[in-house]
Structure formats: C-alpha cells, structure tokens
C-alpha cells in the first residue's frame, strides 16, 4: 500500500515506455459516471450495470489499490463477471494522479477521511448520483477494496455507516490508524497499537450515526509484507467492539484449507468474518479453473479461493460457492469451532512470489526512497 512517491524518477523500459505503465491493457467493461457537481476529492467515477438488469438491485462500491485503475481492478477481481451472473450494480471510484502519484486513495489524509470532506465525500456523492439514474436498492449498498482501497473502504464504513449494509476489506487497515504519511507506514507495519475501545471510539467520532452498524468481512495474507497481518486483527477488534461482540470468535473453521473466524449476532447471523490466507503475499485472493472469476496478475493471486465470490455471498447478493467450510467431526476445524478453542493451523505451501515486471520496479523505487518496507 504505497502512499506517496516524491523524488522517484520514472524508469524506462527497453521500448521506451514508462515502467509505471501497466504491462497490458485490461479489458475495460466500465462506463464513465457523469461529472459530479460536488466532487471535493477530485475523483473519477466508473460504473457497470449488467444488460437487462431489473431493480431494485444491490450496489457494490469497489475501490482499487495503488498503481491500479478501476478497469484493471475489475478485470483482475472479476466483479463485473459476478455482476452479470447474479444481477447487481457496480460503482468504481477511481483515483487521479493529480491527487496521488501512485493512484492510492488518500486513506491517511485528514482532508480525505472525514465525513463531508475530500475523497470520502466524493465517493458519497457518486453513490447518490448513480442512485438517481440506476435502480439501486438503498438497503443493499456495500463497499469493498484492496490495500489503499481497503483502507478507504474502512473510511467509508466509518464516516457513512448509515449507507452500507456491509463491507469487505482486503489487506487494509482500521479506520483512524494514521493521520499522515509517517503514521501510515507505522500503521501498515503493525506498529500503531491501540485497544478495541480506542479503535471503536475513532469510528464513533467519525459520524453522528448511532444505529446498527454494517457487517464486516476481513481478508489478509499471512505473508503480506506491505500491510502486515496484525492490521486485520485491528479491524476486527474495531468492529467487534462497535457491534458489542467479544474479542474471541464464536466459530473457527477452514474454507478450502484456509482459516476463517466468525463472530455471530444475537440471531446467529455472521456480523464479522475474518479470512487468513496462509502463505499469501499482498493482493486479492482468487481461484483459477474453468469457472474462474477474475484473472491472476499483479496483486491478483490465485490461491484456490475466490474472495470476490465469498464477499458477494457475505453481502447476500450471490449464493455461497460450492466448496463449503471444512468442519468434519473430529477435525481441528470442528474442535476449534467451539468458542474460545485454540488450534494450531498448518501454514499452506502456497506462498506467492513478490511482484515482477513493472510492479517490482515500483516497489524497488519505493523502498529506495524509504517509502516502503
């Protein structure tokens, strides 16, 4: 999750193209949102509506990561493919280089992370805009994102909780974890310590909302060196406290061999889910194969589990994928399902190599500048 890129020279490839350009143009299935009257964050808006869609339909707000744009993220994650299958609308706020040279959402800037200000307000305006022209069901609006987009998803859930039924954060951070660039790197590195009450207090102060809170799903790779795994735990603590839940999960199981923890509400519904993708680096978990959703690439990692499909199922806008949780009687997962139980989970031998090509050039430059570890 790089944040800024001062004093980094663009390196040229053998063909003379900028190494910061994507390796290949992804298929762009998105349309442009008309210009907003109120756009304090100076963001671009893209969207996707399946052909023949009848409303009222769910809306998923999808936030890309650094160095990506909306079309690249859609192509890799496969959100528009899933929208075609199950009938929902997609909104893709898109960062501009004028705001951040690395195309990161400015999740660490106070001017962009407060209700009614900057990028958060622009995303809120986009949701209102698409709701005027498309058959959006206001009771089924959701937000998800990767890395800086995941951190911005945290921002949206905190600053406009009344808008969202649920959110999913991939390799992101808790809301209020950082207020400037220096704090951003401390946060990403897991050095911004805070207890559950303090984390929840930051959300409580972010808006006047005091109603029910959005449900939250959290995804994190255990081998992520850009946003370390403890950030996922901080997000869970933040939202568990807001929901009035205990720090320990009600259920622990495995999905496709990966650990999942679940916190249940009073009616037995999952309010928080946390997936730990053992051995995975920084990126979106995907599943390949004939019926694949999305395409593997830079920060789009085939680990045999589709986060896109699981997120949509958690939102309640798509059915659960066929492979269910592994909870056979007598297994570690079944024993661990009991509240408070502990189990030694085996690391999977599916670690993904660091980024290559242009992405590796970007990361090398950031590390040389002291902006990435």
């Amino acid at each position: 999750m790089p944040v800024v890129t001062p004093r980094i020279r663009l390196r040229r490839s053998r063909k003379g193209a900028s190494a910061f350009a994507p390796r290949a143009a992804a298929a762009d299935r998105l349309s442009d949102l008309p210009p907003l009257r109120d756009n304090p964050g100076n963001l671009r808006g893209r969207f996707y509506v399946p052909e023949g869609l009848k409303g009222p339909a769910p809306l998923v707000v999808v936030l890309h990561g650094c160095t990506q744009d909306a079309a690249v993220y859609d192509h890799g994650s496969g959100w528009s493919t899933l929208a075609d299958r199950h009938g929902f609308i997609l909104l893709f706020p898109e960062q501009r280089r004028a705001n951040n040279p690395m195309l990161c959402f400015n999740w660490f800037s106070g001017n962009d992370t407060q209700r009614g200000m900057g990028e958060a307000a622009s995303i809120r305006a986009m949701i209102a805009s698409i709701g005027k022209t498309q058959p959006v069901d206001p009771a089924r609006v959701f937000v998800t994102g990767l890395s800086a987009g995941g951190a911005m998803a945290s921002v949206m859930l905190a600053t406009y909780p009344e808008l969202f039924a649920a959110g999913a954060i991939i390799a992101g951070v808790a809301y209020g974890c950082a207020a400037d660039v220096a704090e951003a790197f401390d946060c990403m590195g897991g050095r911004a310590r805070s207890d559950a009450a303090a984390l929840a207090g930051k959300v409580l102060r972010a808006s006047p909302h005091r109603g029910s809170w959005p449900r939250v799903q959290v995804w994190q790779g255990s081998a992520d060196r850009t946003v370390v795994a403890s950030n996922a735990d901080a997000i869970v603590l933040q939202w568990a406290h807001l929901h009035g839940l205990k720090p320990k999960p009600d259920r622990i199981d495995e999905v496709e061999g990966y650990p999942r923890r679940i916190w249940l509400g009073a009616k037995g519904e999952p309010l928080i889910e946390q997936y730990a993708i053992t051995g995975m680096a920084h990126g979106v978990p995907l599943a390949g194969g004939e019926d694949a959703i999305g395409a593997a690439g830079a920060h789009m990692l085939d680990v045999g589990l589709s986060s896109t499909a699981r997120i949509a199922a958690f939102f309640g806008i798509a059915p659960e994928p066929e492979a269910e949780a592994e909870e056979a009687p007598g297994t570690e997962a079944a024993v661990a399902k009991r509240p408070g139980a502990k189990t030694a989970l085996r690391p999977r031998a599916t670690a993904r190599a660091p980024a290559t090509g242009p992405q590796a050039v970007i990361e090398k430059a950031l590390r040389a500048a002291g902006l990435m570890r």
Side-chain angles (χ1 to χ4, degrees), residues 69-372:
D69 61 25
V72 165
Y73 192 80
D74 177 54
H75 176 75
S77 62
W79 271 106
S80 63
T81 299
L82 207 62
D84 286 336
R85 295 180 187 179
H86 302 297
F88 51 84
I89 302 166
L90 297 168
L91 171 64
F92 290 82
E94 186 175 88
Q95 186 59 285
R96 300 178 189 271
R97 291 198 186 277
N99 300 333
N100 188 295
M102 292 296 293
L103 297 178
C104 309
F105 289 101
N106 289 305
W107 59 272
F108 52 88
S109 168
N111 292 330
D112 292 295
T113 60
Q114 297 183 46
R115 187 181 177 99
M117 295 179 63
E119 292 174 10
S122 289
I123 295 170
R124 168 66 181 90
M126 289 181 189
I127 296 171
S129 175
I130 199 167
K132 294 177 181 177
T133 60
Q134 302 297 332
V136 173
D137 181 353
R140 292 188 292 167
V141 178
F142 309 94
V143 63
T144 184
L146 164 70
S147 192
M152 203 67 195
S154 283
V155 169
M156 296 310 298
L157 291 169
T159 55
Y160 295 98
E162 74 279 6
L163 290 182
F164 301 104
I169 300 162
I170 306 173
V173 301
Y175 175 72
C177 185
D180 56 36
V181 173
E183 290 182 4
F185 282 103
D186 283 340
C187 179
M188 292 157 56
R191 294 180 295 278
R193 300 294 182 182
S194 190
D195 61 29
L199 288 166
K202 293 179 179 182
V203 176
L204 289 170
R205 291 189 293 273
S207 81
H209 178 74
R210 293 298 178 268
S212 59
W213 296 98
R215 298 181 302 115
V216 177
Q217 191 181 65
V218 182
W219 293 78
Q220 178 68 49
S222 68
D224 192 333
R225 293 175 297 188
T226 302
V227 179
V228 301
S230 61
N231 283 286
D233 296 330
I235 298 169
V236 168
L237 284 175
Q238 187 169 59
W239 287 95
H241 194 86
L242 289 165
H243 281 287
L245 303 174
K246 296 179 180 179
K248 292 185 178 180
D250 296 295
R251 290 177 52 190
I252 302 176
D253 57 23
E254 292 184 4
V255 180
E256 298 290 355
Y258 296 110
R260 177 177 66 172
R261 305 197 301 165
I262 304 172
W263 286 257
L264 302 175
K267 298 180 181 179
E269 74 282 16
L271 296 181
I272 301 173
E273 286 188 353
Q274 181 182 16
Y275 284 83
I277 310 302
T278 46
M280 190 186 79
H282 191 63
V284 173
L286 300 176
E290 292 183 4
D291 202 32
I293 300 168
H299 300 304
M300 297 288 170
L301 308 178
D302 183 356
V303 298
L305 178 64
S306 171
S307 59
T308 305
R310 289 277 165 184
I311 290 169
F314 180 75
F315 289 168
I317 60 177
E320 287 281 348
E322 289 183 4
E324 296 298 332
E326 300 166 4
E327 301 177 310
T331 64
E332 285 182 343
V335 173
K337 187 176 177 180
R338 296 195 298 269
K342 295 181 180 180
T343 181
L345 294 168
R346 299 180 300 276
R348 286 172 58 97
T350 55
R352 292 298 183 260
T356 59
Q359 185 64 31
V361 173
I362 294 170
E363 293 185 359
K364 182 178 180 181
L366 288 166
R367 290 189 182 96
L371 295 172
M372 183 175 178

